[in-house]
Amino acid sequence: MGRLTSSDLVKVAPGLKVIPGANTLLVSLNKIVNWSRAGSIWPVTFGLA
């Protein structure tokens, strides 16, 4: 396996790239944090108390 270049990456969505055959995603930490905050259920518990 040779050196990986940017032309080897497959763009899936804005800011999200995949390395084919490696089951690996490349994404910024900011996108991961925002995704986890959007899917979080902890704010619901404050309204139910």
Side-chain angles (χ1 to χ4, degrees):
M1 186 166 128
R3 192 175 166 111
L4 187 66
T5 64
S6 61
S7 62
D8 295 333
L9 303 176
V10 177
K11 189 173 182 180
V12 177
L16 179 65
K17 296 179 181 177
V18 175
I19 300 173
N23 295 330
T24 305
L25 295 175
L26 297 176
V27 66
S28 69
L29 181 59
N30 193 28
K31 283 199 175 281
I32 293 173
V33 169
N34 288 338
W35 171 79
S36 65
R37 287 179 179 166
S40 177
I41 193 166
W42 74 266
V44 175
T45 59
F46 290 109
L48 298 176

